[in-house]
Amino acid sequence: MDLRLLRTFQAVAELENITQAAERLNFTQPTVTAQIRQLEEHFGVRLFERLGKRLYITEAGRFLACQSANLLVLYEKLEGQMQDFTERPEEVRLGISSPLMNYHLSSVVRHFRREKANLSLQVDLCLSGAEVENGLLNNRFDVGLLHEKPVSSLLSPFFWRKEAMIWVGCLDMVSLCQGKPLAEWPYLSFRPGTVMREKSKGAMQEQEPDSLAEYSDSEGVKRAVLDGLGVAFLPERLVQAEVENGFLAILTDAPAGQLELWAAVHRDKEETPGRKELFAALGIETKK
């Protein structure tokens, strides 16, 4: 039902005069009369009776006046509450498959804070690319950043960037490994089935040494390398600061590699200004 009909009815019920109600509402008298008649037809009861020049509200009219007054108060409250949502920053829910992505997100968050106060970013670190894909499929995330191209045909993939991968270790460990066969390296690896594990195997032409320990996340591997437990094949961006500060060194005669990073969205999800701004800040081309 059009709530304007109830507002018109409230004015007539209060003033008991259609002409005065029309003046208050800035309507014509026939418009007010037509709206009252429309309400009466809707409910199937008489709301007013006219005796001579006087207008009298019926019992049904008095009941409607009481209930509609409460309804209009609730509606006005609801309008105010819904207005709060329009004034909130748009939240972009981002799922990432590796801590590596965080090294690229600081500039995005800074951009949102300085230039796009009407946008906010919620970042969830997932255990795998599969978890990110599931989050996109069940609408947990608006955007996913993965270290491999998504598998699901329900997702639209967008190539983001390539990351160089290098062998690193603490200074003593690198000195120990340089010039020795791969099989003799004190090797720290990722769990089987992970993209990082496949990348390290590919860099060594499938001749990987026995691993001292296997980790599920790159930050865990980096921490072990910093503690001098072994060497590892990691994205260069992940260890750049530690290399520059002399905490880690690169095995210069070891095979390097590359890691592809991808963005993905559900193909049926409508594009929003926030998502568009996030892709622009990350430098991701969405036009195909």
Side-chain angles (χ1 to χ4, degrees):
M1 178 190 295
D2 190 342
L3 290 179
R4 289 177 297 181
L5 299 181
L6 293 180
R7 292 193 176 99
T8 297
F9 167 77
Q10 284 290 332
V12 175
E14 177 186 344
L15 298 171
E16 295 182 334
N17 188 291
I18 288 182
T19 302
Q20 293 177 14
E23 292 175 355
R24 173 186 288 186
L25 299 171
N26 199 26
F27 289 159
T28 65
Q29 184 173 335
T31 298
V32 173
T33 300
Q35 290 183 348
I36 297 300
R37 186 178 300 114
Q38 187 175 346
L39 270 178
E40 290 179 330
E41 291 174 354
H42 176 79
F43 291 114
V45 295
R46 294 286 300 273
L47 300 174
F48 297 98
E49 289 183 318
R50 181 182 293 276
L51 301 178
K53 295 184 178 180
R54 290 291 305 275
L55 194 66
Y56 296 90
I57 191 167
T58 65
E59 182 180 357
R62 284 192 294 272
F63 178 80
L64 179 60
C66 179
Q67 298 302 318
S68 62
N70 294 332
L71 179 60
L72 290 171
V73 169
L74 288 175
Y75 181 74
E76 290 175 1
K77 182 178 180 181
L78 176 62
E79 279 193 318
Q81 292 170 333
M82 294 305 295
Q83 183 64 31
D84 291 341
F85 284 96
T86 65
E87 295 173 356
R88 291 181 186 179
E90 179 192 344
E91 183 179 75
V92 181
R93 302 167 299 167
L94 176 62
I96 62 177
S97 64
S98 167
L100 171 64
M101 316 299 184
N102 287 321
Y103 289 80
H104 298 286
L105 293 179
S106 293
S107 60
V108 175
V109 174
R110 189 178 300 112
H111 172 73
F112 275 24
R113 185 181 63 192
R114 292 179 179 177
E115 307 294 336
K116 301 293 179 180
N118 61 328
L119 300 175
S120 66
L121 190 64
Q122 175 185 304
V123 183
D124 283 340
L125 174 61
C126 299
L127 296 177
S128 65
E131 184 180 345
V132 174
E133 289 198 39
N134 288 334
L136 292 169
L137 293 173
N138 62 30
N139 202 36
R140 178 184 169 195
F141 304 131
D142 302 307
V143 179
L145 296 179
L146 308 96
H147 48 264
E148 57 187 327
K149 190 174 182 178
V151 176
S152 174
S153 61
L154 296 176
L155 301 180
S156 296
F158 303 96
F159 176 74
W160 179 17
R161 63 192 303 133
K162 289 184 177 181
E163 291 281 346
M165 296 192 68
I166 56 176
W167 287 95
V168 292
C170 66
L171 296 180
D172 292 341
M173 196 61 65
V174 169
S175 298
L176 178 66
C177 294
Q178 293 283 23
K180 289 188 176 183
L182 298 181
E184 298 181 15
W185 289 6
Y187 171 49
L188 297 166
S189 182
F190 293 85
R191 290 179 181 174
T194 61
V195 173
M196 297 291 192
R197 177 66 170 262
E198 295 304 314
K199 289 295 181 181
S200 64
K201 288 176 62 177
M204 294 184 289
Q205 291 79 45
E206 306 293 330
Q207 300 177 5
E208 62 175 337
D210 293 332
S211 177
L212 296 176
E214 295 177 346
Y215 295 80
S216 62
D217 67 289
S218 53
E219 288 291 345
V221 174
K222 184 173 80 168
R223 183 67 262 170
V225 173
L226 286 167
D227 289 339
L229 300 181
V231 297
F233 194 54
L234 290 169
E236 184 175 13
R237 183 65 177 267
L238 191 67
V239 294
Q240 182 178 354
E242 289 78 7
V243 170
E244 292 176 352
N245 292 328
F247 297 115
L248 296 178
I250 301 173
L251 281 80
T252 55
D253 59 350
Q258 285 188 329
L259 178 69
E260 288 189 351
L261 302 184
W262 290 79
V265 299
H266 197 293
R267 69 183 185 187
D268 295 333
K269 194 171 182 67
E270 183 178 355
E271 185 177 53
T272 65
R275 194 181 85 185
K276 186 176 181 180
E277 188 66 32
L278 172 62
F279 273 45
L282 290 171
I284 298 174
E285 179 61 53
T286 59
K287 294 181 180 179
K288 295 184 177 181

